[in-house]
Amino acid sequence: MPNWCYSRIKFTGDYKAVRKLYNFIAEQFDIPFEREPMHFDKNTFLGTFLDRAGLDSERFRCRGQITDWPGPPEPCDDDSGNCEIVIYTETAWCPMIAM
């Protein structure tokens, strides 16, 4: 049995880029699933996100799943123009953040 690793990952950038990432993640929950994802929920499995983004899930360590994430990003009020979203993941042994 693995030691579970719970991670909080924050994505920060300009509003358009962060909103695009948010929309991509949100869309994955409604797409029919194509492959068996071990015991993880089919549309929150990190390998699913890599595959659907056109990345090689064999090249990146991608086990685990998204367990929670807040609502869409809001435009920031500060002068930087940056905003952020946060996702929470559950993986075995260590964080999977190299995607």
Side-chain angles (χ1 to χ4, degrees), residues 7 15 17 21 23 25 27 29 33 35 37 40 49 52-58 62 67 75 82 87 92 95-96 99:
S7 301
Y15 178 74
L21 175 62
N23 289 341
I25 294 171
E27 290 167 1
F29 294 103
F33 190 67
R35 69 176 188 163
F40 295 106
F49 289 95
R52 291 178 177 170
L55 300 171
D56 182 0
S57 61
E58 297 298 319
C62 60
T67 57
N82 288 335
I87 64 171
M96 298 288 131
M99 295 185 287

Side-chain angles (χ1 to χ4, degrees), residues 1-2 6-7 11-14 23 28 30 39 43 45-48 52 59 68 73-74 76 84 90 96 98:
M1 180 173 216
Y6 302 95
S7 301
F11 298 92
T12 304
D14 71 79
N23 289 341
Q28 304 314 303
D30 296 324
H39 69 279
N43 284 325
F45 179 60
L46 296 175
T48 301
R52 291 178 177 170
R59 183 173 168 225
D68 190 26
E74 297 292 330
C76 292
E84 64 186 42
E90 174 186 81
M96 298 288 131

